Amino acid sequence: MDTKIGSIDACKPTNGDVGSPPSGAVATIHDSAPSVASSEATLGRHLARRLVQAGVTDIFSVPGDFNLTLLDHLIAEPELKNIGCCNELNAGYAADGYARSRGVGACVVTFTVGGLSVLNAIAGAYSENLPVICIVGGPNSNDFGTNRILHHTIGLPDFSQELRCFQTVTCHQAVVNNLEDAHEQIDKAISTALKESKPVYISISCNLAAAPHPTFIRDPVPFSLTPRLSNKMGLEAAVEATLEFLNKAVKPVMVGGVKLRVAKASDAFVDLADASGYAMAVMPSAKGLVPEHHPHFIGTYWGAVSTPFCSEIVESADAYIFAGPIFNDYSSVGYSLLLKKEKAIVVHPDRVTIANGQTFGCVLMSDFFTELAKRVKRNETAYENYHRIFVPEGKPLNCKPKEPLRVNAMFQHIQKMLSSETAVIAETGDSWFNCQKLKLPKGCGFVFNSRYEFQMQYGSIGWSVGATLGYAQAVPEKRVLAFIGDGSFQVTAQDVSTMLRNGQKTIIFLINNGGYTIEVEIHDGPYNVIKNWNYTGLVDAIHNGEGKCWTTKVRYEEELVEAIKTATTEKKDSLCFIEVIVHKDDTSKELLEWGSRVAAANGRPPNPQ
């Protein structure tokens, strides 16, 4: 069947836009065929077609008795592949990773025991502004409103517990327990996820998935996503006020934040950098959203743990444009940023605030930057200052033969692996800081999707295993490099099995330092030491001779070099698992600084009563 969703290119793998269609475009979900066969005119098949039209070609699922019939009808859709996961948490993380590349993701679980298990992953997707469609196989429609007690519940006749839990971590909830409005409910949920760039919850009664209905036979009613438009007068006023502010500045800078992605404003942000000549930096969670090969790119602004010389330029500026920032305790390094609100122009996806005063609503970020670029006065002073003080970074000393491998030496070799054919996923922990220092080559970031992902706002350890599964499934032409600490890996290790089952060729670097290193640097204690596993032995056991898998342990730099060579040549079509054994105290200097400042923020005494 020839189906499409308006400007469907916004959801294909070649475009990582997340959320609503580009400004000015109207996305319409519709079928070009006049009707479907009666055997396909079921609720389950309709949902499957809608998912495909939205850009989902893989669903991540865990079967349970309430969703089995639904899964039958979903996998009957030729363009939809089911990726069976080992647990619901990883299915949710996989949908998160998939949405980061495709622009939308979906997972399917069973009622309550599955729903509450996936809840943590959906909360993470909500915090990261990712449209994940969480589909739950629900109770038989005849059981609603009765006094019956069902299995997979907490033993009460009230079936709303799961729904209530999802209400705080999704932007829309649909409980489909009758066929009359099922079509409308599904369309509204999916379109809301795309429009709001947030997760949604859809519960489908288990006895309805196979049920036919006239609304699934006739031509589906076209469903439009109304494009968001800037208020023209508000846009003009915002631009005028911003120009007045910037033209008084001597050394303005611009800093990109994570909401550049949801606002689809990366191109416009770079256009402004080109026109203005301002020094351009990114916040850590926005790494990969702007091209690092841009001539005025000065690195990552992260307060005391910034790229060398970046914070000095940003914090000494007399005006800074922040595009889509999130200032939380982590991104502000324990609230220690040396910024002044009266110097800041903060641009959110739909509003602009100037100098902690005037706020202009109904102004889209991309429109604002586009208009500003046309009229801004060029000023390269901040970048010239950066160029004057910049001193190239030194390289860490090479490890001596049989000297224990150091993490900083390891990442020198990782840097050489990056290309337009790779993507990087960094787990919560010291991998945040080490991967942040990687320089993304042309094609490894910015173009289509960021090719660099980590979960900074939610920071759930173990996220990267499922996210790697989903991301690699979404972009099979890329080779994902995943950097995971041993403590995080122990949380979600099972779904390496799913990667193998689906023929993925990811390279996982398991950094074994014997514990929760990021927690150690915030507050140490015996609870941060974990039981050591034979990680390569575990992956070998999961492999069990099925699929392509290669594992190795490395303790020395020469072993790492050989392992990388093998993984990128003779084992290039295999999933490669490289366990890197390092000293428990081998951390980046940035983590040491960041951890002490976050600890200070956590340890503030109560305010006097």
Side-chain angles (χ1 to χ4, degrees), residues 200-216:
V200 295
Y201 165 87
I202 303 175
S203 173
I204 307 285
S205 288
C206 61
N207 60 325
L208 298 186
H213 193 268
T215 57
F216 308 139

Side-chain angles (χ1 to χ4, degrees), residues 85-376:
C85 297
C86 298
N87 58 59
E88 291 88 357
L89 179 61
N90 274 337
Y93 286 153
D96 170 312
Y98 193 91
R100 289 168 184 266
S101 179
R102 289 287 185 94
V104 61
C107 57
V108 184
V109 299
T110 196
F111 183 57
T112 305
V113 291
L116 297 190
S117 183
V118 80
L119 191 68
N120 187 52
I122 300 303
Y126 188 95
S127 75
E128 301 279 324
N129 296 292
L130 298 170
V132 171
I133 301 166
C134 182
I135 302 163
V136 175
N140 187 293
S141 62
N142 297 303
D143 291 328
F144 284 88
T146 68
N147 205 35
R148 295 177 180 139
I149 295 176
L150 296 182
H151 68 288
H152 289 344
T153 69
I154 59 172
L156 298 176
D158 177 6
F159 303 157
S160 66
Q161 180 197 21
E162 178 185 80
L163 170 64
R164 295 198 307 273
C165 290
F166 274 94
Q167 284 173 339
T168 58
V169 295
T170 57
C171 67
H172 183 83
Q173 306 82 39
V175 178
V176 181
N177 54 20
N178 68 83
L179 291 174
E180 282 66 31
D181 64 351
H183 187 295
E184 179 184 354
Q185 286 215 65
I186 289 170
D187 281 359
K188 185 175 182 180
I190 293 175
S191 63
T192 302
L194 296 173
K195 184 169 62 176
E196 300 296 329
S197 197
K198 293 282 189 182
V200 295
Y201 165 87
I202 303 175
S203 173
I204 307 285
S205 288
C206 61
N207 60 325
L208 298 186
H213 193 268
T215 57
F216 308 139
I217 296 174
R218 66 177 185 233
D219 287 342
V221 176
F223 198 97
S224 297
L225 301 182
T226 304
R228 292 180 174 177
L229 301 173
S230 294
N231 178 294
K232 290 186 177 180
M233 293 180 65
L235 174 61
E236 176 62 23
V239 171
E240 285 287 348
T242 300
L243 288 171
E244 182 181 357
F245 183 81
L246 291 175
N247 288 340
K248 295 176 183 176
V250 176
K251 44 185 179 180
V253 299
M254 48 196 295
V255 183
V258 67
K259 291 187 179 181
L260 276 172
R261 170 155 53 187
V262 69
K264 298 178 178 58
S266 290
D267 286 326
F269 183 77
V270 174
D271 288 344
L272 177 59
D274 291 337
S276 66
Y278 296 172
M280 177 177 67
V282 292
M283 297 181 73
S285 52
K287 185 177 176 68
L289 296 182
V290 301
E292 297 189 1
H293 58 275
H294 190 279
H296 282 190
F297 183 75
I298 64 172
T300 298
Y301 173 65
W302 199 353
V305 295
S306 299
T307 301
F309 308 104
C310 181
S311 65
E312 290 84 351
I313 295 301
V314 171
E315 293 178 347
S316 66
D318 52 353
Y320 11 79
I321 301 172
F322 276 90
I326 294 179
F327 294 109
N328 61 25
D329 50 342
Y330 275 14
S331 67
S332 68
V333 197
Y335 310 115
S336 65
L337 300 183
L338 301 179
L339 299 174
K340 296 182 178 179
K341 292 181 180 180
E342 60 269 21
K343 294 182 180 180
I345 299 169
V346 181
V347 187
H348 294 287
D350 58 0
R351 70 184 189 279
V352 178
T353 299
I354 300 173
N356 201 33
Q358 287 179 291
T359 297
F360 302 88
C362 297
V363 175
L364 299 186
M365 184 188 294
S366 58
D367 293 343
F368 175 73
F369 287 147
T370 298
E371 291 302 313
L372 193 60
K374 296 175 182 177
R375 297 155 61 182
V376 69

Side-chain angles (χ1 to χ4, degrees), residues 5-8 21-30 223-228:
I5 168 175
S7 182
I8 188 66
S23 297
V26 178
T28 305
I29 301 177
H30 67 276
F223 198 97
S224 297
L225 301 182
T226 304
R228 292 180 174 177

Side-chain angles (χ1 to χ4, degrees), residues 11 144 372 500-501 586:
C11 294
F144 284 88
L372 193 60
L500 286 167
R501 192 178 184 186
D586 186 356

Side-chain angles (χ1 to χ4, degrees), residues 418-441:
L418 302 186
S419 72
S420 60
E421 302 303 316
T422 59
V424 174
I425 291 185
E427 176 59 77
T428 300
D430 201 21
S431 292
W432 274 3
F433 302 93
N434 288 306
C435 290
Q436 197 65 223
K437 290 183 280 189
L438 293 172
K439 294 176 175 59
L440 301 183

Side-chain angles (χ1 to χ4, degrees), residues 390-406:
F390 177 76
V391 178
E393 284 188 80
K395 291 185 178 180
L397 298 174
N398 291 331
C399 297
K400 298 176 182 178
K402 298 301 180 181
E403 178 188 350
L405 179 62
R406 299 189 308 274

